[in-house]
Amino acid sequence: MKYYRLWVLAFLLKFIGSAWDASYHFKYLFEEYSIPHIVNFIGFALGGYLLFKEWRKSQFMDHFSRNLITIGYVLFLIGIPLDFTYHIAYGIDLTTWSPTHFIYYIATSIMIFGVWRGYYQLTQDVEPTWKSMHTWFAMFLLECFLFPNMQQENGAISYDQYIHGKSIASPEILALISNPASQIFGGIPEWVYPIYSVLMVSLLTVFTIRICRDFTIPVMGTALYILIRFIFKGVFFAVGYPTSYVPITFLFIPLIYLLFRKTNWKAGLVGSLLYFLGVFAIHTLGILITPPLVLWEVVPAVLAGVLVPVIVPLIKLTPSLKRAKSIV
């Protein structure tokens, strides 16, 4: 399993680099060779080496999984010059929702899914548990899905600092801000954050339960994601970098599926409702600085939570991803 542990290290380095990069760009302008980019590249290069080994001699994964990872790598490489061109044209790198960034997210998701699929195939005779690397791959995929939210989660604290005259952004960044409420949040409508969050967490949760036939893996994967985000927050605060709101109430969504022991619309409704009411209470009571929220947003957010466990089971699994019996 050393091969897949190295993949965990590669994705962890990419996670560190991307989270650092999100914080970095709330303080500094875009730089091709910034330290966060270098850390991300080290993870990318380690994964590339592991993929190259598999192309030379197939040992640890089937050809389809290997090809999926290759597609992800090629797509990511295509995204690099496009992203550089985008930032040369626009100058400021203050949105995680740019089209070129989504090329990175899609490419990385394909890589993670390919590696996870290879690990799944290799360990198909072993019942998946949260103590296995399934939890790590679920966490990495969740992080990739949720990365656009860093705009709102970092932006919330940076905006609060800005309007109170305590911004830690560089003079170059501050000079470019003419409409802080829009620019700091990437020009994204407020209602996108809770709906997108519920959709992504619910998709990952239901998908993982359906494939691994285990309700604990998505809970532990989400908990691991939150823990790592708190570690990053502490480190960034200590070194004077912008910090972000850590979405602790995400945990309600997979936790309710675990408590219900079913992936049905009722679990989706309760989990998404608790998620939204939890973060709304934190926001309204001023416990923490969160992305802006309005109460009516609970309706589409909960609707997303209800629809995911209804629609996902309609998607047929390939034979290689089926275990003895589906529980969806």
Side-chain angles (χ1 to χ4, degrees):
M1 291 300 168
K2 180 181 177 181
Y3 179 80
Y4 284 98
R5 290 192 186 97
L6 288 173
W7 271 111
V8 168
L9 177 60
F11 289 134
L12 184 59
L13 286 169
K14 283 182 62 62
F15 187 178
I16 293 170
S18 59
W20 190 354
D21 193 49
S23 174
Y24 181 93
H25 291 306
F26 274 89
K27 189 171 184 176
Y28 301 109
L29 286 176
F30 174 78
E31 295 178 15
E32 292 93 334
Y33 305 111
S34 64
I35 297 177
H37 286 176
I38 293 171
V39 173
N40 198 310
F41 177 76
I42 292 172
F44 182 83
L46 175 57
Y49 167 73
L50 296 171
L51 179 60
F52 175 72
K53 283 188 64 176
E54 196 62 23
W55 270 101
R56 287 192 64 188
K57 184 179 180 182
S58 184
Q59 289 181 290
F60 303 105
M61 60 179 61
D62 62 289
H63 290 179
F64 185 76
S65 298
R66 182 199 63 192
N67 293 343
L68 268 181
I69 302 167
T70 304
I71 291 170
Y73 263 80
V74 170
L75 187 58
F76 196 98
L77 290 170
I78 291 172
I80 293 174
L82 293 177
D83 190 47
F84 280 11
T85 303
Y86 181 90
H87 292 305
I88 290 170
Y90 294 98
I92 189 169
D93 188 11
L94 201 59
T95 175
T96 58
W97 294 86
S98 69
T100 51
H101 283 158
F102 267 85
I103 296 175
Y104 289 152
Y105 308 149
I106 294 168
T108 305
S109 295
I110 294 171
M111 293 179 209
I112 296 168
F113 184 76
V115 174
W116 193 3
R117 186 184 185 279
Y119 176 74
Y120 179 95
Q121 295 285 359
L122 189 67
T123 60
Q124 60 184 331
D125 296 329
V126 181
E127 194 69 23
T129 70
W130 68 269
K131 296 179 182 180
S132 67
M133 279 183 274
H134 288 293
T135 296
W136 281 97
F137 294 131
M139 184 276 289
F140 289 132
L141 198 55
L142 179 66
E143 183 272 334
C144 193
F145 286 174
L146 292 176
F147 191 81
N149 278 351
M150 296 292 283
Q151 184 73 45
Q152 280 64 42
E153 291 164 358
N154 276 80
I157 294 177
S158 292
Y159 180 71
D160 183 78
Q161 292 172 337
Y162 182 87
I163 63 176
H164 289 98
K166 299 179 180 179
S167 177
I168 61 174
S170 65
E172 293 82 5
I173 288 285
L174 295 175
L176 291 170
I177 295 179
S178 57
N179 183 1
S182 175
Q183 287 175 289
I184 292 177
F185 291 105
I188 303 301
E190 294 178 0
W191 53 265
V192 171
Y193 176 77
I195 299 171
Y196 182 82
S197 298
V198 170
L199 185 62
M200 293 298 105
V201 178
S202 298
L203 278 171
L204 192 280
T205 298
V206 174
F207 170 81
T208 304
I209 293 170
R210 190 178 187 206
I211 299 301
C212 296
R213 301 186 65 245
D214 185 280
F215 287 90
T216 313
I217 292 173
V219 174
M220 299 307 292
T222 305
L224 181 60
Y225 169 75
I226 293 170
L227 173 63
I228 293 175
R229 286 285 304 274
F230 268 117
I231 293 171
F232 290 167
K233 184 180 178 76
V235 172
F236 293 154
F237 178 79
V239 299
Y241 268 64
T243 60
S244 66
Y245 165 71
V246 179
I248 51 179
T249 60
F250 281 169
L251 195 57
F252 279 124
I253 295 175
L255 190 58
I256 291 301
Y257 281 104
L258 172 63
L259 294 176
F260 277 48
R261 307 296 295 185
K262 290 183 180 295
T263 51
N264 57 25
W265 68 268
K266 294 177 183 178
L269 186 151
V270 175
S272 56
L273 183 62
L274 286 176
Y275 152 73
F276 185 91
L277 294 180
V279 69
F280 186 78
I282 291 171
H283 173 73
T284 305
L285 298 175
I287 299 171
L288 296 171
I289 300 172
T290 75
L293 292 169
V294 182
L295 188 57
W296 69 262
E297 294 164 0
V298 69
V299 177
V302 170
L303 182 60
V306 168
L307 289 177
V308 168
V310 173
I311 294 174
V312 169
L314 302 178
I315 303 171
K316 293 183 178 180
L317 296 177
T318 62
S320 60
L321 289 178
K322 288 182 179 178
R323 289 204 179 256
K325 182 181 178 182
S326 175
I327 56 175
V328 178

